[in-house]
Amino acid sequence: MKRITILALMPLLVLGQACTDTKENNKTEVQAIFPKGELGPAENFTGNAWNTRLVANDSTYNTVIGNVYFEPGARSNWHIHPAGQILIITSGVGFHQIKGKPKQTIRKGDVIKCPPNVEHWHGASPDTGLYQLYIIPNTEKGIVQWLKPVTSEEYNK
Ligand code: MN
């Protein structure tokens, strides 16, 4: 009898779990300022990084602006911006590292300037995702040069 009751309740337990998950997802999407966008290519990112281009490059502004959502643990490869980049963190927790310097923790409200021609990477922390706005000025000098992936050893150091 007891066994039958448990079996009868199983679908409800599963359903309950599914409802909680949906609620969490909705909360995340409601909090997001911009659309999730498109998944960044695996050759330039480790894990899932979603990109929405907000301002396309043109000859009047020579500036690219966009939003990236890094899922927990996701990060860019090492890369260089020939004219530099400004990051504005709008939600979550993550890391930014310039080659040869210690990894820096970045959070909602932080503004980070990546100097021109400096090798660096950015991404989410292992447990919390990161929402970042990126601004790339002076695009006539170039936008980005992709380099090697950030290894687990580099990421965890
Ligand atoms: Mn960058």
Side-chain angles (χ1 to χ4, degrees), residues 38-80:
E38 292 174 4
L39 195 57
E43 66 259 36
N44 299 338
F45 296 92
T46 299
N48 291 340
W50 301 84
N51 178 45
T52 302
R53 183 59 58 90
L54 299 171
V55 175
N57 192 27
D58 67 36
S59 58
T60 303
Y61 296 102
N62 296 305
T63 300
V64 167
I65 302 177
N67 184 69
V68 173
Y69 167 54
F70 288 100
E71 292 183 8
R75 67 260 189 186
S76 72
N77 281 13
W78 289 99
H79 61 280
I80 289 167

Side-chain angles (χ1 to χ4, degrees), residues 79 81 85 87 114 120 122:
H79 61 280
H81 304 288
Q85 177 183 52
L87 301 175
C114 318
H120 71 282
H122 27 113

Side-chain angles (χ1 to χ4, degrees), residues 139-151:
T139 52
E140 68 279 8
K141 294 177 186 171
I143 293 174
V144 61
Q145 287 167 21
W146 289 108
L147 305 166
K148 287 180 186 170
V150 174
T151 64

Side-chain angles (χ1 to χ4, degrees), residues 84-156:
Q85 177 183 52
I86 297 163
L87 301 175
I88 299 172
I89 311 308
T90 57
S91 187
V93 182
F95 304 125
H96 173 246
Q97 185 177 21
I98 290 173
K99 193 99 178 178
K101 294 188 178 177
K103 188 177 74 179
Q104 180 192 356
T105 299
I106 55 179
R107 309 189 150 74
K108 179 178 179 176
D110 286 344
V111 178
I112 298 113
K113 288 179 181 170
C114 318
N117 290 314
V118 167
E119 197 171 331
H120 71 282
W121 65 270
H122 27 113
S125 66
D127 302 320
T128 308
L130 182 79
Y131 287 83
Q132 58 152 61
L133 279 169
Y134 62 87
I135 302 168
I136 301 172
N138 305 315
T139 52
E140 68 279 8
K141 294 177 186 171
I143 293 174
V144 61
Q145 287 167 21
W146 289 108
L147 305 166
K148 287 180 186 170
V150 174
T151 64
S152 298
E153 199 188 345
E154 289 171 321
Y155 179 75
N156 293 315

